Amino acid sequence: MTYLAASVSELTGGNMWVCGALCRTRAPAQLGQRLLPESRRRRPASASFSASAEPSRVRALVYGHHGDPAKVVELKNLELAAVGGSDVHVKMLAAPINPSDINMIQGNYGLLPQLPAVGGNEGVGQVVAVGSGVTGVKPGDWVIPANPGLGTWRTEAVFGEEELITVPSDIPLQSAATLGVNPCTAYRMLVDFERLRPGDSIIQNASNSGVGQAVIQIAAARGLRTINVLRDRPDLQKLTDRLKNLGANHVVTEEELRKPEMKSFFKDVPQPRLALNCVGGKSSTELLRHLAPGGTMVTYGGMAKQPVIASVSQLIFKDLKLRGFWLSQWKKDHSPVQGADPHTLRSHPPRPTHGPRLLRGPAAGLPVCPRSIHAALRVFKADSHHVT
């Protein structure tokens, strides 16, 4: 695996990876394809560290100002802080690179870090050592960030215990490294906007993206039918087969979606009540055109960099609803109220969880989308396929 990539303009479905490459590379990094989202939370200067331990150095991908990732991100040696009483020393095992990371480095994302910053907001690491006051994790555990902004593009780091969530180590490494963002986004969109029942249909574009693949798997586990829209491409059949192996019911191209024949398609397939839009522009217009009356389109990305356009007739006569979703905002909105019961949410609570909680330690119950992670883990454990 490598963090070297072809072109920022080629951002699409899966993930590039920085695991391993940091240990092998000696030259400054040149980034391009895929990098992952949010701002880096800096540890306060007053944080307590053990003065007796000698500092060691780690390799990290760092940027000191916003701009083209290929020009502003550098591979640097950083000092690893000693482990204090409430700290956890983590060795990173895998860290993905998503489009939102690119946006963050460019400076046009919804959350921006204090500079200089280590890139990467998602990944999985293994606990090496813990401070004397740590009770929720132990050496050997796999952990992921509880919130965005940790800076996962490094070989090792020392984090506060409250910044981490333990996850089972018996799922694929890449699934664990991508568990905190895409599957959670997919799950929340499937349960928060429409009351869907087994047999109901949903439609989505960018179906081969990380979120799209998670939607397919989680929807299949919930008995929902998915209509998955792709751009036409030379390897279309290969990609179609792969998505159907994940659980996709129907795969169509953007061009097919615009054809009159789709009317007969929906005579056999229920019109979708939920549309998930990651593209915008004409693609989102087509999703709206096929939504059932009263349905909802949720926009969570804009890869086409074009506005979402809805006709007046769709809004008036079909009563379609247009919504947006951003996981970072969802976490803020569902954070425990200061001074209140930690399990009390600020706004409407999610539906009850079925089955045991998989999260342990102080991060469990905080704004980390635990039920979404639980749902994704159930899919990954029940199926040999996983989001890559």
Side-chain angles (χ1 to χ4, degrees):
M1 296 178 184
T2 177
Y3 56 76
L4 299 180
S7 169
V8 174
S9 64
E10 294 177 357
L11 294 175
T12 52
N15 295 302
M16 292 292 290
W17 299 88
V18 296
C19 67
L22 289 175
C23 299
R24 295 192 301 267
T25 307
R26 299 182 179 179
Q30 291 183 352
L31 287 173
Q33 204 162 338
R34 287 183 221 303
L35 303 142
L36 268 163
E38 341 281 274
S39 66
R40 177 174 181 261
R41 190 190 323 163
R42 297 177 63 86
R43 184 179 299 280
S46 60
S48 174
F49 299 119
S50 170
S52 60
E54 294 185 5
S56 59
R57 306 189 76 81
V58 300
R59 298 172 78 77
L61 294 173
V62 181
Y63 58 104
H65 59 277
H66 298 297
D68 180 353
K71 297 178 180 178
V72 302
V73 177
E74 297 181 287
L75 181 63
K76 292 187 175 183
N77 290 322
L78 301 180
E79 184 176 300
L80 182 68
V83 177
S86 60
D87 291 327
V88 180
H89 177 191
V90 177
K91 177 182 179 181
M92 295 305 301
L93 301 177
I97 306 174
N98 280 359
S100 47
D101 286 315
I102 292 281
N103 297 146
M104 182 173 260
I105 295 169
Q106 292 169 333
N108 54 19
Y109 194 65
L111 292 175
L112 296 177
Q114 182 178 350
L115 301 179
V118 175
N121 299 275
E122 196 178 27
V124 63
Q126 188 169 39
V127 175
V128 175
V130 301
S132 58
V134 173
T135 59
V137 297
K138 62 184 183 302
D141 282 351
W142 278 18
V143 291
I144 64 174
N147 288 294
L150 281 190
T152 56
W153 297 351
R154 48 181 141 190
T155 53
E156 299 175 66
V158 173
F159 300 123
E161 182 186 10
E162 75 283 354
E163 297 175 304
L164 303 170
I165 306 167
T166 57
V167 296
S169 58
D170 58 351
I171 61 173
L173 182 68
Q174 292 185 357
S175 294
T178 55
L179 196 56
V181 176
N182 290 337
C184 291
T185 297
Y187 180 79
R188 292 260 59 98
M189 293 193 299
L190 286 172
V191 302
D192 286 355
F193 295 94
E194 288 285 340
R195 288 191 173 275
L196 301 173
R197 293 177 172 81
D200 286 345
S201 297
I202 68 166
I203 188 170
Q204 66 168 342
N205 55 25
S207 304
N208 61 319
S209 67
V211 171
Q213 293 180 63
V215 164
I216 290 170
Q217 294 174 84
I218 296 173
R222 296 173 68 87
L224 304 174
R225 303 174 69 166
T226 56
I227 304 162
N228 302 279
V229 185
L230 299 171
R231 292 175 299 168
D232 200 0
R233 63 194 71 207
D235 61 344
L236 180 63
Q237 189 57 53
K238 182 179 179 181
L239 179 55
T240 297
D241 293 342
R242 184 160 67 87
L243 295 184
K244 287 190 174 182
N245 285 336
L246 291 177
N249 300 99
H250 309 282
V251 179
V252 299
T253 65
E254 299 273 5
E255 292 74 15
E256 290 171 333
L257 196 63
R258 298 186 181 100
K259 292 181 178 179
E261 289 79 5
M262 288 303 294
K263 288 185 178 180
S264 26
F265 173 83
F266 284 111
K267 290 180 180 178
D268 301 320
V269 177
Q271 273 193 293
R273 294 173 50 201
L274 178 67
L276 305 179
N277 168 44
C278 183
V279 179
K282 293 180 179 179
S283 178
S284 59
T285 301
E286 290 301 317
L287 296 188
L288 284 171
R289 191 161 69 88
H290 295 291
L291 263 183
T296 301
M297 183 173 78
V298 182
T299 295
Y300 67 98
M303 296 178 68
K305 298 183 179 179
Q306 296 174 353
V308 172
I309 300 175
S311 70
V312 172
S313 63
Q314 289 174 330
L315 297 177
I316 295 177
F317 302 122
K318 291 185 68 176
D319 190 26
L320 299 184
K321 299 179 286 291
L322 305 181
R323 301 289 302 276
F325 182 81
W326 184 28
L327 184 62
S328 296
Q329 187 62 49
W330 186 94
K331 291 179 179 181
K332 289 181 182 178
D333 292 343
H334 292 75
S335 299
V337 180
Q338 187 173 6
D341 185 288
H343 299 291
T344 302
L345 302 181
R346 287 178 182 162
S347 56
H348 60 280
R351 298 172 190 174
T353 302
H354 299 287
R357 291 179 72 100
L358 289 174
L359 306 184
R360 304 183 294 277
L366 292 180
V368 295
C369 207
R371 294 193 328 104
S372 310
I373 293 176
H374 173 74
L377 283 168
R378 288 177 62 189
V379 173
F380 294 142
K381 285 191 170 188
D383 196 329
S384 60
H385 302 289
H386 58 277
V387 175
T388 58

Coordinates of all heavy atoms in Angstrom, one line a residue, residues 9-89:
S9 N -8.0 14.9 -9.0 CA -9.3 14.9 -9.8 C -9.9 13.5 -10.0 O -11.0 13.3 -10.4 CB -9.0 15.5 -11.2 OG -8.1 14.6 -11.9
E10 N -9.1 12.4 -9.6 CA -9.6 11.1 -9.8 C -10.3 10.5 -8.5 O -10.5 9.3 -8.4 CB -8.5 10.1 -10.1 CG -7.8 10.5 -11.5 CD -6.6 9.6 -11.8 OE1 -6.3 8.8 -10.9 OE2 -6.1 9.7 -12.8
L11 N -10.7 11.4 -7.6 CA -11.4 10.9 -6.4 C -12.7 10.3 -6.8 O -13.6 10.8 -7.4 CB -11.7 12.1 -5.5 CG -10.5 12.8 -4.9 CD1 -10.9 14.0 -4.1 CD2 -9.7 11.9 -4.0
T12 N -12.9 9.0 -6.4 CA -14.1 8.3 -6.6 C -14.4 7.4 -5.4 O -14.3 7.8 -4.2 CB -14.1 7.5 -7.9 OG1 -12.9 6.7 -7.9 CG2 -14.1 8.4 -9.1
G13 N -14.7 6.1 -5.6 CA -15.2 5.2 -4.6 C -14.4 4.8 -3.4 O -14.7 5.2 -2.3
G14 N -13.4 3.9 -3.6 CA -12.8 3.3 -2.5 C -11.8 4.1 -1.6 O -12.0 5.3 -1.5
N15 N -10.8 3.5 -1.1 CA -9.8 4.3 -0.3 C -8.4 3.9 -0.7 O -8.1 2.8 -1.0 CB -10.0 3.8 1.2 CG -11.4 4.2 1.7 OD1 -11.7 5.4 1.7 ND2 -12.1 3.3 2.2
M16 N -7.6 5.0 -0.6 CA -6.1 4.7 -0.6 C -5.7 4.5 0.8 O -6.4 4.9 1.7 CB -5.4 5.9 -1.3 CG -5.7 6.1 -2.7 SD -4.9 4.7 -3.7 CE -3.2 5.1 -3.6
W17 N -4.5 4.1 1.0 CA -4.0 3.7 2.4 C -2.7 4.3 2.7 O -1.8 4.4 1.8 CB -4.0 2.2 2.6 CG -5.4 1.7 2.4 CD1 -5.9 1.2 1.2 CD2 -6.4 1.5 3.4 NE1 -7.2 0.8 1.5 CE2 -7.5 0.9 2.8 CE3 -6.4 1.8 4.8 CZ2 -8.7 0.7 3.5 CZ3 -7.6 1.5 5.5 CH2 -8.7 0.9 4.8
V18 N -2.4 4.7 3.9 CA -1.1 5.2 4.3 C -0.4 4.2 5.2 O 0.7 4.5 5.6 CB -1.2 6.6 5.0 CG1 -1.7 7.6 4.0 CG2 -2.1 6.5 6.2
C19 N -1.0 3.1 5.6 CA -0.4 2.2 6.5 C 0.8 1.6 5.8 O 0.8 1.3 4.6 CB -1.3 1.1 6.9 SG -1.9 0.0 5.7
G20 N 1.9 1.4 6.5 CA 3.1 0.7 6.0 C 4.0 1.7 5.2 O 5.2 1.7 5.3
A21 N 3.4 2.5 4.4 CA 4.2 3.4 3.5 C 5.0 4.4 4.4 O 6.1 4.8 4.0 CB 3.3 4.2 2.6
L22 N 4.5 4.8 5.5 CA 5.2 5.8 6.3 C 6.5 5.2 6.8 O 7.5 5.9 7.0 CB 4.3 6.2 7.5 CG 3.1 7.1 7.2 CD1 2.3 7.3 8.4 CD2 3.6 8.4 6.6
C23 N 6.5 3.9 7.1 CA 7.7 3.2 7.6 C 8.7 3.0 6.5 O 9.9 3.0 6.7 CB 7.4 1.9 8.2 SG 6.2 2.0 9.6
R24 N 8.3 2.9 5.2 CA 9.2 2.6 4.1 C 9.8 3.8 3.4 O 10.8 3.7 2.9 CB 8.4 1.7 3.1 CG 8.0 0.4 3.6 CD 7.5 -0.5 2.5 NE 6.4 0.1 1.7 CZ 5.2 -0.1 2.0 NH1 4.8 -0.9 3.0 NH2 4.2 0.4 1.3
T25 N 9.0 4.9 3.4 CA 9.4 6.1 2.6 C 10.3 7.0 3.3 O 10.2 7.3 4.5 CB 8.1 6.8 2.2 OG1 7.2 5.9 1.6 CG2 8.5 7.9 1.2
R26 N 11.3 7.5 2.6 CA 12.3 8.5 3.2 C 12.1 9.9 2.6 O 12.7 10.8 3.1 CB 13.7 7.9 2.9 CG 13.9 6.6 3.6 CD 15.4 6.1 3.4 NE 15.6 4.8 4.0 CZ 16.7 4.2 4.0 NH1 17.8 4.7 3.3 NH2 16.9 3.0 4.6
A27 N 11.4 10.0 1.5 CA 11.3 11.3 0.8 C 10.0 12.0 1.3 O 9.1 11.3 1.7 CB 11.3 11.1 -0.7
P28 N 9.9 13.3 1.1 CA 8.6 14.0 1.4 C 7.5 13.4 0.6 O 7.7 13.0 -0.6 CB 8.9 15.4 1.0 CG 10.4 15.6 1.1 CD 10.9 14.2 0.7
A29 N 6.3 13.4 1.2 CA 5.2 12.8 0.5 C 4.6 13.6 -0.6 O 4.6 14.8 -0.6 CB 4.0 12.6 1.5
Q30 N 4.1 12.9 -1.7 CA 3.4 13.5 -2.7 C 2.0 12.9 -2.7 O 1.9 11.7 -3.1 CB 4.0 13.4 -4.1 CG 5.3 14.2 -4.2 CD 5.9 14.0 -5.6 OE1 5.4 13.2 -6.4 NE2 6.9 14.8 -5.8
L31 N 1.0 13.6 -2.3 CA -0.3 13.0 -2.2 C -1.2 13.4 -3.4 O -0.9 14.4 -4.0 CB -1.1 13.6 -0.9 CG -0.5 13.1 0.4 CD1 -1.2 13.8 1.5 CD2 -0.8 11.6 0.5
G32 N -2.2 12.6 -3.7 CA -3.1 12.9 -4.8 C -4.4 12.3 -4.6 O -5.4 13.0 -4.5
Q33 N -4.6 11.0 -4.6 CA -5.9 10.5 -4.8 C -6.8 10.6 -3.6 O -7.6 11.5 -3.5 CB -5.9 9.1 -5.2 CG -7.1 8.7 -6.0 CD -6.9 7.4 -6.7 OE1 -5.8 7.1 -7.1 NE2 -7.9 6.7 -7.1
R34 N -6.8 9.8 -2.6 CA -7.8 9.8 -1.6 C -7.3 10.1 -0.2 O -6.5 9.4 0.3 CB -8.5 8.5 -1.5 CG -9.4 8.2 -2.5 CD -10.0 6.9 -2.3 NE -10.0 6.3 -3.5 CZ -10.5 6.8 -4.6 NH1 -11.1 7.8 -4.6 NH2 -10.4 6.2 -5.7
L35 N -7.9 11.0 0.5 CA -7.5 11.3 1.9 C -8.8 11.5 2.7 O -9.8 11.9 2.2 CB -6.7 12.5 1.8 CG -5.4 12.4 1.0 CD1 -5.1 13.7 0.2 CD2 -4.3 12.1 1.8
L36 N -8.9 11.3 4.1 CA -10.2 11.3 4.9 C -10.4 12.5 5.9 O -9.4 13.0 6.4 CB -10.2 10.1 5.7 CG -10.9 8.9 5.2 CD1 -10.5 7.6 5.9 CD2 -12.4 9.1 5.2
P37 N -11.6 12.9 6.4 CA -12.1 14.2 6.8 C -11.7 14.8 8.2 O -11.6 14.1 9.1 CB -13.5 14.1 6.7 CG -13.8 12.7 6.9 CD -12.6 11.9 6.5
E38 N -11.9 16.0 8.5 CA -12.1 16.7 9.8 C -10.8 17.4 10.4 O -9.7 17.1 10.0 CB -12.8 16.0 10.9 CG -13.6 14.9 10.7 CD -14.9 15.2 10.1 OE1 -15.9 15.4 10.8 OE2 -15.1 15.2 9.0
S39 N -11.0 18.2 11.4 CA -9.9 19.0 12.0 C -9.2 18.3 13.1 O -9.7 17.4 13.7 CB -10.5 20.3 12.6 OG -11.3 20.0 13.7
R40 N -7.9 18.6 13.2 CA -7.1 17.9 14.2 C -7.2 18.6 15.6 O -6.8 19.8 15.7 CB -5.6 17.9 13.7 CG -4.7 17.3 14.7 CD -3.3 17.2 14.1 NE -2.4 16.6 15.0 CZ -1.5 17.2 15.8 NH1 -1.5 18.5 15.8 NH2 -0.7 16.6 16.6
R41 N -7.6 17.9 16.6 CA -7.7 18.4 17.9 C -6.3 18.4 18.5 O -5.7 17.3 18.7 CB -8.7 17.6 18.7 CG -9.0 18.2 20.1 CD -9.7 17.3 20.9 NE -10.7 16.4 20.2 CZ -11.2 15.3 20.7 NH1 -10.8 14.9 21.9 NH2 -12.0 14.6 20.0
R42 N -5.8 19.5 18.9 CA -4.5 19.6 19.5 C -4.5 19.4 21.0 O -5.4 19.9 21.7 CB -3.8 21.0 19.2 CG -3.6 21.2 17.7 CD -3.1 22.6 17.5 NE -1.8 22.8 18.1 CZ -0.6 22.4 17.5 NH1 -0.7 21.9 16.3 NH2 0.5 22.6 18.1
R43 N -3.6 18.6 21.5 CA -3.5 18.4 22.9 C -3.1 19.6 23.6 O -2.1 20.3 23.2 CB -2.5 17.2 23.2 CG -2.4 16.8 24.6 CD -1.4 15.7 24.8 NE -1.8 14.6 24.0 CZ -2.7 13.7 24.4 NH1 -3.3 13.9 25.6 NH2 -3.0 12.7 23.7
P44 N -3.8 20.0 24.7 CA -3.4 21.2 25.5 C -2.0 21.2 26.0 O -1.5 20.1 26.3 CB -4.4 21.2 26.6 CG -5.5 20.4 26.2 CD -4.9 19.3 25.3
A45 N -1.4 22.3 26.0 CA 0.0 22.4 26.5 C 0.2 21.9 27.9 O 1.2 21.5 28.3 CB 0.6 23.8 26.3
S46 N -0.9 22.0 28.7 CA -0.9 21.6 30.1 C -1.1 20.1 30.3 O -1.1 19.6 31.4 CB -2.0 22.3 30.8 OG -3.2 22.0 30.3
A47 N -1.2 19.3 29.2 CA -1.4 17.9 29.3 C -0.3 17.3 30.1 O 0.9 17.6 30.0 CB -1.5 17.2 28.0
S48 N -0.6 16.3 31.0 CA 0.4 15.7 31.9 C 1.0 14.5 31.2 O 0.4 13.6 30.8 CB -0.3 15.3 33.2 OG 0.6 14.6 34.0
F49 N 2.4 14.6 31.1 CA 3.1 13.5 30.6 C 4.2 13.1 31.6 O 4.7 13.9 32.3 CB 3.8 13.9 29.2 CG 2.8 14.3 28.1 CD1 2.8 15.5 27.6 CD2 1.9 13.3 27.7 CE1 1.9 15.9 26.6 CE2 1.0 13.7 26.7 CZ 1.0 14.9 26.2
S50 N 4.6 11.9 31.5 CA 5.7 11.4 32.4 C 7.0 12.0 31.9 O 7.4 11.8 30.8 CB 5.7 9.9 32.3 OG 6.9 9.4 33.0
A51 N 7.7 12.6 32.8 CA 9.0 13.3 32.4 C 10.1 12.3 32.4 O 11.2 12.6 31.9 CB 9.3 14.4 33.4
S52 N 9.9 11.1 33.0 CA 11.0 10.1 33.1 C 11.2 9.4 31.8 O 12.3 8.9 31.5 CB 10.7 9.1 34.2 OG 9.5 8.4 33.9
A53 N 10.2 9.2 31.0 CA 10.4 8.5 29.8 C 11.1 9.3 28.7 O 10.8 10.5 28.6 CB 9.0 8.0 29.2
E54 N 12.0 8.7 28.0 CA 12.7 9.4 26.9 C 11.8 9.5 25.7 O 11.2 8.5 25.3 CB 14.0 8.6 26.6 CG 15.0 8.6 27.7 CD 16.3 8.0 27.3 OE1 16.4 7.7 26.1 OE2 17.2 7.8 28.2
P55 N 11.8 10.6 25.1 CA 11.0 10.8 23.9 C 11.5 10.0 22.7 O 12.7 9.8 22.5 CB 11.0 12.3 23.6 CG 12.4 12.7 24.2 CD 12.5 11.9 25.4
S56 N 10.6 9.5 21.9 CA 11.0 8.8 20.6 C 10.4 9.5 19.5 O 9.6 10.5 19.7 CB 10.5 7.3 20.7 OG 9.1 7.3 20.8
R57 N 10.7 9.1 18.3 CA 10.3 9.9 17.1 C 9.4 9.0 16.2 O 9.6 7.8 16.1 CB 11.5 10.4 16.3 CG 12.4 11.3 17.2 CD 13.5 12.0 16.3 NE 12.9 13.1 15.7 CZ 12.7 14.3 16.2 NH1 13.0 14.5 17.5 NH2 12.2 15.3 15.6
V58 N 8.5 9.6 15.6 CA 7.6 8.9 14.7 C 7.5 9.6 13.4 O 7.9 10.8 13.3 CB 6.1 8.8 15.3 CG1 6.2 8.0 16.6 CG2 5.5 10.1 15.5
R59 N 7.1 8.9 12.3 CA 6.9 9.5 11.0 C 5.5 9.9 10.8 O 4.6 9.1 11.1 CB 7.4 8.6 9.9 CG 8.9 8.3 10.1 CD 9.4 7.2 9.1 NE 9.6 7.7 7.8 CZ 10.7 8.3 7.4 NH1 11.6 8.7 8.3 NH2 10.8 8.7 6.2
A60 N 5.2 11.1 10.2 CA 3.9 11.6 10.0 C 3.8 12.4 8.8 O 4.8 13.0 8.3 CB 3.4 12.4 11.2
L61 N 2.6 12.4 8.2 CA 2.3 13.3 7.1 C 1.7 14.6 7.6 O 0.6 14.6 8.1 CB 1.3 12.6 6.1 CG 1.9 11.4 5.4 CD1 0.8 10.6 4.6 CD2 3.1 11.7 4.5
V62 N 2.4 15.7 7.4 CA 2.0 17.0 8.0 C 1.9 18.0 7.0 O 2.6 18.1 6.0 CB 3.2 17.4 9.0 CG1 2.8 18.7 9.7 CG2 3.4 16.3 10.1
Y63 N 0.9 19.0 7.2 CA 0.8 20.2 6.4 C 0.7 21.4 7.3 O 0.1 21.4 8.3 CB -0.4 20.1 5.4 CG -1.7 19.9 6.1 CD1 -2.6 21.0 6.1 CD2 -2.1 18.7 6.5 CE1 -3.9 20.8 6.7 CE2 -3.4 18.5 7.1 CZ -4.3 19.6 7.2 OH -5.5 19.4 7.7
G64 N 1.5 22.4 6.9 CA 1.6 23.7 7.6 C 0.7 24.8 7.1 O 0.4 25.8 7.8
H65 N 0.1 24.6 5.9 CA -0.8 25.6 5.4 C -1.7 24.9 4.4 O -1.4 23.8 3.9 CB -0.1 26.8 4.8 CG 0.8 26.4 3.7 ND1 2.1 26.0 3.9 CD2 0.7 26.4 2.3 CE1 2.7 25.8 2.7 NE2 1.9 26.0 1.8
H66 N -2.8 25.5 4.0 CA -3.8 24.9 3.1 C -3.3 25.0 1.7 O -2.7 26.0 1.3 CB -5.2 25.4 3.3 CG -5.7 25.2 4.7 ND1 -6.0 24.0 5.2 CD2 -6.0 26.1 5.7 CE1 -6.4 24.1 6.4 NE2 -6.5 25.4 6.7
G67 N -3.7 24.1 0.8 CA -3.3 24.1 -0.6 C -3.4 22.8 -1.2 O -4.1 21.8 -0.7
D68 N -2.8 22.6 -2.4 CA -2.8 21.4 -3.1 C -2.1 20.3 -2.3 O -0.9 20.5 -1.9 CB -2.0 21.6 -4.4 CG -2.0 20.3 -5.3 OD1 -2.4 19.2 -4.8 OD2 -1.5 20.4 -6.4
P69 N -2.7 19.2 -1.9 CA -2.1 18.2 -1.1 C -0.8 17.7 -1.6 O 0.1 17.5 -0.8 CB -3.1 17.1 -1.0 CG -4.4 17.7 -1.3 CD -4.1 18.9 -2.2
A70 N -0.6 17.6 -2.9 CA 0.6 17.2 -3.5 C 1.8 18.1 -3.2 O 3.0 17.8 -3.3 CB 0.5 17.0 -5.0
K71 N 1.4 19.4 -2.9 CA 2.5 20.4 -2.6 C 2.7 20.8 -1.2 O 3.8 21.2 -0.8 CB 2.1 21.7 -3.4 CG 2.1 21.5 -4.9 CD 1.7 22.7 -5.7 CE 1.7 22.5 -7.2 NZ 1.2 23.7 -7.9
V72 N 1.6 20.6 -0.4 CA 1.7 21.1 1.0 C 1.9 20.0 2.1 O 2.4 20.3 3.2 CB 0.5 22.0 1.4 CG1 0.3 23.1 0.4 CG2 -0.8 21.1 1.4
V73 N 1.7 18.8 1.7 CA 1.9 17.7 2.7 C 3.3 17.2 2.6 O 3.8 16.9 1.5 CB 0.9 16.6 2.4 CG1 1.1 15.4 3.4 CG2 -0.6 17.1 2.6
E74 N 3.9 17.1 3.8 CA 5.3 16.6 3.8 C 5.4 15.4 4.8 O 4.7 15.4 5.8 CB 6.2 17.7 4.3 CG 6.3 18.9 3.3 CD 7.2 19.9 3.8 OE1 6.9 20.6 4.8 OE2 8.4 20.0 3.3
L75 N 6.3 14.5 4.6 CA 6.7 13.5 5.5 C 7.7 14.0 6.5 O 8.8 14.4 6.1 CB 7.2 12.2 4.7 CG 7.5 11.0 5.6 CD1 6.3 10.5 6.3 CD2 8.2 9.9 4.7
K76 N 7.4 14.0 7.8 CA 8.2 14.5 8.8 C 8.4 13.6 9.9 O 7.6 12.7 10.2 CB 7.7 15.9 9.3 CG 7.7 17.0 8.2 CD 7.3 18.3 8.9 CE 7.5 19.5 7.9 NZ 7.2 20.8 8.5
N77 N 9.5 13.8 10.7 CA 9.7 13.1 11.9 C 9.2 14.0 13.1 O 9.5 15.2 13.2 CB 11.2 12.8 12.2 CG 11.7 11.8 11.2 OD1 11.1 10.8 10.9 ND2 13.0 12.0 10.8
L78 N 8.3 13.4 13.9 CA 7.8 14.1 15.1 C 8.2 13.4 16.3 O 8.4 12.2 16.4 CB 6.2 14.1 15.0 CG 5.6 14.8 13.7 CD1 4.1 14.7 13.8 CD2 6.1 16.2 13.6
E79 N 8.2 14.2 17.4 CA 8.5 13.6 18.7 C 7.3 12.9 19.3 O 6.2 13.5 19.3 CB 9.1 14.7 19.6 CG 9.5 14.1 21.0 CD 10.2 15.2 21.8 OE1 11.2 15.8 21.4 OE2 9.6 15.5 22.9
L80 N 7.4 11.7 19.8 CA 6.3 11.0 20.5 C 6.4 11.4 22.0 O 7.4 11.2 22.6 CB 6.5 9.5 20.3 CG 5.4 8.7 20.9 CD1 4.1 8.9 20.1 CD2 5.8 7.2 20.8
A81 N 5.3 12.0 22.4 CA 5.2 12.3 23.8 C 5.2 11.1 24.7 O 4.8 10.0 24.4 CB 3.9 13.1 24.1
A82 N 5.7 11.3 25.9 CA 5.7 10.2 26.9 C 4.2 10.0 27.4 O 3.4 10.8 27.3 CB 6.5 10.6 28.1
V83 N 4.0 8.8 27.8 CA 2.6 8.4 28.2 C 2.3 8.8 29.6 O 3.0 8.4 30.6 CB 2.4 6.9 28.1 CG1 1.0 6.4 28.5 CG2 2.7 6.4 26.6
G84 N 1.3 9.7 29.8 CA 0.9 10.1 31.1 C -0.2 9.2 31.7 O -0.6 8.2 31.1
G85 N -0.7 9.6 32.8 CA -1.7 8.7 33.5 C -2.9 8.3 32.8 O -3.4 7.2 32.9
S86 N -3.5 9.3 32.0 CA -4.7 9.0 31.2 C -4.5 8.8 29.7 O -5.4 8.9 29.0 CB -5.7 10.1 31.5 OG -5.2 11.4 31.0
D87 N -3.2 8.6 29.4 CA -2.9 8.5 28.0 C -2.7 7.1 27.5 O -2.5 6.1 28.2 CB -1.6 9.2 27.7 CG -1.7 10.7 27.9 OD1 -2.8 11.2 27.6 OD2 -0.7 11.4 28.3
V88 N -2.8 6.9 26.1 CA -2.7 5.6 25.5 C -1.7 5.7 24.3 O -1.9 6.6 23.5 CB -4.1 5.1 25.0 CG1 -3.9 3.8 24.3 CG2 -5.1 5.1 26.1
H89 N -0.7 4.9 24.3 CA 0.2 4.9 23.2 C -0.3 3.9 22.2 O -0.6 2.7 22.5 CB 1.6 4.4 23.7 CG 2.6 4.2 22.7 ND1 3.9 3.6 22.9 CD2 2.7 4.6 21.4 CE1 4.6 3.6 21.8 NE2 3.9 4.2 20.9

